[in-house]
Amino acid sequence: MRNSRKIMIAANWKEHFTVSQASIFLNKLESSVRSRQSVEVVLFPNVLTLQPLSVQLDKRKFRLGAQDGHFQDAGAYTGEVSMAMLRDLVHYVLVGHSERRHVFGENDDIAAKKMQAAVRNGIMPILCVGETLQERLAGETNQILHNQVTAGLMHLTAREVAASVIAYEPVWAIGSGESAKPDQAAAAIQHIRTQVEHLHGARTAGLVRILYGGSVNSHNAKAFLDVDGCDGALVGGASLQSHEFASIVEKAFRVHQERLPAHHG
Ligand code: 13P
C-alpha cells in the first residue's frame, strides 16, 4: 500500500572528518548527489562541524542532524551540548544510537529524556533501536525492540511520535559489513510499527517513518528500500564515500518512482 511518508537517506559520519575535511567532503557530495524532492537527505556530522556546514550547505539538497544532544537545556554538565544549543542548527537528532548505548552506557531512561528534550526544542528525533547478536540468538529481538520503543517514546504525544523517526539498527550489523537480511529487517520494522500502533493508534503508526541501518551500501540499499514499511536508510561507513552515498540516494529516488501510481510514471 502506498503511504505519504517521505523517504529519508541519512548519513551518520560518526567521529570522522575534521571541520576542513568535512567542508571538502560536502563539496564533493554537492556535486555527486542530485537534488531529489522525493528523497530527504540528512547529514549527521560531528557537533563542531555543524555550524560551518550549516553555512556552506545547499539547503535545497541537504538537511543537518546532530549525532547526539543532552537532555538538560543548560547547566553544570561538563562536556555536553544541549538540544537547546542545537535547535537553530539542525532539523534532526539521533537518540539512543547503538554506540551511545553500548560504548557509552546510555540506557532507555536517558534515551527517553533525550527524546523529550528534542521535541521540547523543536528538533525531530530519530530513535535508534536494535538488538545485539546475543539477544537475537536468544530469540529476544522482539522483546528488546518492544522495550526500547516503549521507553523511547514514553514522554511523547501521538502527534510528536508521528513526526518522529525510528531507525532499526541491529547492533551486530553496524560497521560489520554483515547487514541484516531484508526479511529480518521487514519483520523488525513491522514489529516496531505494530508497537507504535499499540501505543498511539493506527494513524500515528501510519505516519511515523522507520528506517533500516547497519552495513547499508549502494549494492544492498535497494533491497532494504523495497522492504514493506521501510522508509529509508541510516548509513554509516558508506556515507563517507561521496559516490557510494550519492548512489544510495539515487536508488532511493528510483524506489520512490517505482512506488508512484502508473499514471504518474
Ligand atoms: P554502518 O553503515 O557503518 O554499519 O553504520 C550504521 C550506523 O550505525 C548508522 O547510524
Side-chain angles (χ1 to χ4, degrees), residues 95-96 100-101 104-114 151:
V95 173
R100 299 306 314 170
R101 292 180 192 264
F104 300 99
E106 293 189 6
N107 57 21
D108 279 336
D109 178 47
I110 293 179
K113 287 183 181 149
K114 288 185 173 183

Side-chain angles (χ1 to χ4, degrees), residues 57-243:
L57 131 159
D58 180 345
K59 293 187 174 53
R60 289 161 306 179
K61 260 189 196 179
F62 303 107
R63 286 185 155 172
L64 280 179
Q67 296 176 17
D68 189 25
H70 192 234
F71 51 80
Q72 295 287 357
D73 288 348
Y77 303 101
T78 301
E80 294 296 324
V81 174
S82 72
M83 303 284 182
M85 294 164 179
L86 292 166
R87 61 177 300 159
D88 293 334
L89 285 172
V90 301
H91 273 89
Y92 293 96
V93 62
L94 300 182
V95 173
H97 187 275
S98 142
E99 286 141 23
R100 299 306 314 170
R101 292 180 192 264
H102 297 285
V103 183
F104 300 99
E106 293 189 6
N107 57 21
D108 279 336
D109 178 47
I110 293 179
K113 287 183 181 149
K114 288 185 173 183
M115 292 293 290
Q116 188 179 30
V119 298
R120 182 172 70 235
N121 283 289
I123 304 175
M124 281 189 224
I126 301 183
L127 175 67
C128 304
V129 298
E131 80 289 358
T132 63
L133 184 57
Q134 207 179 14
E135 289 159 347
R136 172 164 284 272
L137 295 176
E140 294 167 1
T141 300
N142 284 350
Q143 188 61 45
I144 295 293
L145 296 177
H146 174 276
N147 294 350
Q148 292 180 347
V149 168
T150 306
L153 303 182
M154 184 161 71
H155 302 304
L156 270 59
T157 63
R159 183 189 287 256
E160 288 164 348
V161 172
S164 304
V165 180
I166 300 174
Y168 170 58
E169 296 206 298
V171 179
W172 47 273
I174 296 178
S176 65
E178 191 204 337
S179 64
K181 304 259 181 306
D183 62 330
Q184 292 173 318
I189 286 170
Q190 176 61 50
H191 186 75
I192 292 167
R193 206 177 289 286
T194 303
Q195 177 61 9
V196 173
E197 184 173 346
H198 287 156
L199 292 168
H200 288 292
R203 190 181 136 72
T204 303
L207 288 171
V208 67
R209 284 184 289 177
I210 306 182
L211 316 180
Y212 169 76
S215 296
V216 172
N217 57 41
S218 63
H219 301 289
N220 63 20
K222 179 167 165 40
F224 291 110
L225 296 167
D226 278 339
V227 161
D228 197 27
C230 178
D231 303 310
L234 179 50
V235 187
S239 75
L240 304 174
Q241 293 162 24
S242 57
H243 286 288

